[in-house]
Amino acid sequence: MKNLRRDDLRNVAIIAHVDHGKTTLVDALLKQSHVFAAHEQVGELIMDSNVLEREKGITILAKTTSIRYHGVKINIIDTPGHADFGGEVERVLGMAEGCLLLVDALEGPMPQTRVVLRQALELGLMPIIVVNKIDRVNARPAETVEATHDLLLELAKNADQLSAPVIYTNARTGTATVDLRHPGTTLEPLLDALLAYIPPPLGDADGPLQLMVSNLDHDNHIGRLAIGRITRGTLRPGQDVVRISEAGPGQRQRITTLLTVEALQRRPAESASAGEIVYIAGLPDIAVGDTVADPDHPEPLKRLEVSEPTLRMQFSVNQSPFAGREATTSSTSRQLRARLERELQTNVALKVADGATADIFEVSGRGELHLAILIETMRREGYEFEVSRPAVITREIDGQRHEPVEECIIDCSLDAVGAITEALGSRGAQLQSMRTDAGSGARLTYLAPTRALIGLRSLILTLTRGTGVMSTRLVGWERWRTLPPRTRNGVLTASQTGMAVAYGLQGVQERGQPFIGPGTQVYEGMIVGLNRRGGDIDVNATKQKQKTNMRASTEDATVKLVPARELSLEESLDFIEDDELVEVTPKGIRMRKRVLNAGDRIKQRKRELAS
């Protein structure tokens, strides 16, 4: 077998924590490579093409682009930086021979950096350390480089990986330098290092075909597209291949379309050989992890292994009194099942199982954000359904119940440390370390069970007035332990169906904090506010003032309402208890009791106490 070097090609993944400038750096590389026409208005965050990615400011889906430098084609794989989307990272790293480890010059290596770097080094990828945002106030590039070298020393699998070069960049201005004493003017130092240190792909272009499917996409004209790197052989349109799944080799099929990536465009190719990342069509049943091979030599590659989910939620058909009013897509159990099964084809870190009834599905994912993005995506597609509060997935180890444990790092200002410490302590989290810097900032490191961190992200944003940054990584499993009891006041539930009015909401705000404003349609059992005390109260938000023919000597005082507290999807998922659900529709998010009638809830509570 001939393993020939493809000196005209490099495959490199960019790995970094959230908001360390990864997508901005890719923008600068594309712009400086002159892949756009002079008249094109390309804007920023070019790779974050998904609407939710732009709204949340994070990369959710792994994507591929390419540039050309000194006659070499460089395929760049942009990976998510959030731990909840680690499944996207795990499956695409195998397409690269090297990685750019992007680290913020102030924050240094973060939990997700460690997780992804370990995966990259285990695959044998050669790293280049890129210290970004060197223009930040209080930036400490020397300490960041030292911390990153310590991380490499801990995780490296061979001595070559320890000789990673260090490049200092300012992605926003598109400059790079190898020496901070000499400011850069372009990103050429980074590209030069990439060509020098990232090895070219090896492969036998004349051998039997082997291609690992690392990702899937869909084209409205072509159909399903399988994305992967050719490990061996050469691929051409019209070529016969076999798909090797977990069940073994399938029937002979034909490649109808072969595409390669040039900048942000997919272009038809006459052929592609070992080392190239390609898009292929013609295999309607292809799945992530399958091998596309030569029919006469069907040799499978090692299947992708993805870490297990840690959280589980119930998705169920919407059964509220408003069901069907707002959905634009049929949301029966059959349609929901089909949509979730379609998600499984590309979202390899997700798992779906049947629930207690035909209308319920158990959906498991990496974390709150992983599941919340799926819910939001389905909502925007026109589906309506109900979801339960997230619950952790436990394991039986040596006859003992174990639960996932995560390291949680919070960056905040010093004046927020007290509130954050109190909040984490009340959830049973254990403080591991605390570090302060000259700029009145602090970094708190905690160890806590996953169930203690549910809903914490939105709470941290509230406590820090939107300036706090929280990141987590799964560190292992420990025996289930008793946490401090979850304390939440009771809720105010609507006792009548109709439209909420100011007069009725005045009674709601007298008892607690309202979640809705005038003009909102409500139904019996829908949660309309938070009680000031424990215990639930039924309130009539639709109550109108009685009209009489008696005239008062003075005009009625105008009803003054406090602003309603609108909960986001993530906040709603954390707020609800086990006897409550979140109703998700294309037009809004509501919280409700599982049992809508107040009398039926009282009877159920009595039965539970009696048993």
Side-chain angles (χ1 to χ4, degrees):
M1 182 182 295
K2 299 177 293 181
N3 277 331
L4 302 177
R5 290 162 50 100
R6 289 283 306 272
D7 289 320
D8 61 334
L9 187 63
R10 297 290 189 278
N11 297 315
V12 60
I14 300 187
I15 56 179
H17 192 77
V18 175
D19 201 33
H20 279 199
K22 171 169 44 64
T23 305
T24 306
L25 181 64
V26 176
D27 285 358
L29 286 169
L30 287 168
K31 290 173 182 176
Q32 291 191 21
S33 300
H34 306 293
V35 298
F36 304 112
H39 64 276
E40 282 189 83
Q41 298 293 322
V42 294
E44 296 181 344
L45 304 179
I46 303 166
M47 292 295 287
D48 283 349
S49 54
N50 185 291
V51 176
L52 280 175
E53 290 179 322
R54 288 184 173 271
E55 285 183 12
K56 294 183 175 290
I58 58 175
T59 300
I60 297 172
L61 304 172
K63 306 176 196 68
T64 306
T65 185
S66 73
I67 60 175
R68 291 190 179 272
Y69 181 68
H70 289 176
V72 178
K73 181 182 180 182
I74 303 172
N75 286 319
I76 300 173
I77 304 163
D78 187 17
T79 63
H82 197 286
D84 282 16
F85 306 107
E88 288 281 327
V89 180
E90 291 169 9
R91 66 188 186 188
V92 297
L93 285 178
M95 295 196 293
E97 281 78 33
C99 63
L100 301 183
L101 175 61
L102 198 67
V103 186
D104 190 299
L106 173 61
E107 297 179 359
M110 296 290 277
Q112 179 64 5
T113 314
R114 172 187 292 270
V115 173
V116 183
L117 182 61
R118 176 186 284 113
Q119 296 167 351
L121 297 179
E122 286 177 352
L123 290 170
L125 272 61
M126 296 299 294
I128 293 177
I129 300 171
V130 182
V131 181
N132 193 31
K133 299 188 180 182
I134 55 176
D135 60 325
R136 284 190 69 172
V137 179
N138 300 320
R140 43 190 188 90
E143 293 179 38
T144 297
V145 171
E146 184 179 353
T148 308
H149 277 146
D150 290 343
L151 190 61
L152 270 180
L153 193 62
E154 178 187 344
L155 301 178
K157 296 300 178 182
N158 59 65
D160 292 339
Q161 292 172 332
L162 296 174
S163 60
V166 179
I167 309 294
Y168 302 93
T169 64
N170 182 348
R172 189 171 293 277
T173 59
T175 60
T177 180
V178 295
D179 189 343
L180 288 173
R181 294 171 298 182
H182 303 95
T185 56
T186 67
L187 289 174
E188 286 191 6
L190 174 60
L191 293 169
D192 290 335
L194 197 151
L195 295 186
Y197 288 93
I198 302 299
L202 300 175
D204 180 10
D206 299 324
L209 176 69
Q210 274 187 318
L211 179 148
M212 167 65 74
V213 178
S214 300
N215 212 341
L216 293 176
D217 204 347
H218 181 80
D219 185 280
N220 291 332
H221 302 289
I222 302 173
R224 180 179 292 188
L225 291 169
I227 309 166
R229 189 187 68 170
I230 302 174
T231 305
R232 188 179 66 195
T234 299
L235 193 58
R236 296 178 178 84
Q239 183 173 331
D240 286 345
V241 298
V242 294
R243 164 194 168 226
I244 306 176
S245 63
E246 287 183 295
Q251 298 293 320
R252 184 182 291 251
Q253 294 174 289
R254 179 162 293 179
I255 301 296
T256 57
T257 306
L258 174 65
L259 306 172
T260 57
V261 177
E262 291 290 342
L264 297 177
Q265 296 182 343
R266 300 168 187 169
R267 295 183 178 174
E270 293 298 322
S271 67
S273 56
E276 182 65 89
I277 296 175
V278 296
Y279 292 66
I280 57 175
L283 311 176
D285 299 323
I286 197 76
V288 171
D290 289 352
T291 300
V292 178
D294 187 285
D296 299 325
H297 302 84
E299 301 172 18
L301 293 164
K302 183 180 178 182
R303 288 191 71 84
L304 292 167
E305 294 182 2
V306 178
S307 301
E308 291 293 310
T310 57
L311 283 183
R312 178 190 297 118
M313 292 174 65
Q314 288 184 345
F315 285 44
S316 55
V317 174
N318 189 9
Q319 296 180 343
S320 84
F322 292 170
R325 290 190 184 183
E326 300 173 1
T328 56
T329 302
S330 178
S331 300
T332 63
S333 60
R334 185 172 63 85
Q335 297 293 346
L336 283 179
R337 180 190 296 276
R339 175 62 183 84
L340 291 171
E341 288 178 349
R342 195 160 67 247
E343 185 71 22
L344 289 175
Q345 296 174 358
T346 56
N347 199 337
V348 295
L350 197 74
K351 289 192 174 180
V352 178
D354 291 335
T357 67
D359 292 340
I360 298 176
F361 306 96
E362 298 276 354
V363 182
S364 306
R366 283 289 184 85
E368 262 187 299
L369 188 60
H370 185 203
L371 294 171
I373 290 293
L374 171 61
I375 295 170
E376 183 66 22
T377 301
M378 291 176 62
R379 183 178 82 86
R380 295 187 183 199
E381 290 174 0
Y383 292 91
E384 67 171 25
F385 49 97
E386 295 171 342
V387 294
S388 67
R389 175 177 165 81
V392 296
I393 298 173
T394 59
R395 291 180 179 177
E396 287 290 329
I397 303 176
D398 298 328
Q400 300 288 337
R401 187 185 184 190
H402 284 64
E403 64 178 332
V405 179
E406 299 186 42
E407 179 187 63
C408 174
I409 293 182
I410 300 170
D411 288 304
C412 62
S413 57
L414 282 173
D415 57 1
V417 168
I420 291 174
T421 303
E422 182 180 356
L424 269 293
S426 67
R427 290 171 174 249
Q430 300 169 345
L431 181 65
Q432 303 296 302
S433 66
M434 175 178 170
R435 193 189 73 205
T436 59
D437 58 35
S440 71
R443 172 173 289 184
L444 307 174
T445 303
Y446 283 89
L447 203 62
T450 298
R451 60 190 163 110
L453 302 179
I454 294 175
L456 182 62
R457 197 175 306 277
S458 58
L459 177 61
I460 294 297
L461 288 174
T462 302
L463 295 176
T464 61
R465 298 178 182 177
T467 61
V469 177
M470 169 184 157
S471 53
T472 60
R473 72 178 180 97
L474 183 67
V475 295
W477 298 72
E478 70 173 21
R479 285 183 59 179
W480 183 278
R481 60 184 172 93
T482 302
L483 297 180
R486 171 183 162 91
T487 56
R488 190 203 77 178
N489 291 350
V491 293
L492 306 174
T493 57
S495 61
Q496 303 288 331
T497 298
M499 180 186 291
V501 295
Y503 187 76
L505 288 175
Q506 189 175 29
V508 173
Q509 73 180 25
E510 287 173 357
R511 292 172 173 80
Q513 184 179 39
F515 290 159
I516 62 170
T520 305
Q521 292 288 339
V522 300
Y523 54 80
E524 182 184 5
M526 177 176 157
I527 298 173
V528 296
L530 177 65
N531 192 3
R532 287 200 176 94
R533 302 178 179 85
D536 301 338
I537 300 178
D538 282 344
V539 292
N540 186 2
T542 67
K543 184 178 180 181
Q544 302 272 1
K545 185 176 181 181
Q546 294 296 322
K547 296 180 175 63
T548 69
N549 60 358
M550 300 296 292
R551 297 183 63 182
S553 58
T554 58
E555 293 184 2
D556 292 333
T558 304
V559 175
K560 294 183 179 179
L561 297 178
V562 298
R565 176 189 171 192
E566 295 186 8
L567 299 184
S568 66
L569 174 61
E570 289 90 342
E571 289 172 327
S572 299
L573 293 175
D574 175 53
F575 179 84
I576 61 173
E577 297 284 4
D578 292 336
D579 66 332
E580 296 161 354
L581 297 169
V582 176
E583 178 188 357
V584 181
T585 74
K587 293 186 179 179
I589 295 167
R590 307 183 188 94
M591 293 179 290
R592 52 158 286 189
K593 289 290 184 179
R594 285 183 184 266
V595 179
L596 296 178
N597 183 269
D600 292 341
R601 290 200 299 273
I602 294 172
K603 292 177 184 177
Q604 184 185 54
R605 198 174 303 122
K606 287 181 178 178
R607 286 196 300 268
E608 291 173 352
L609 291 174
S611 59

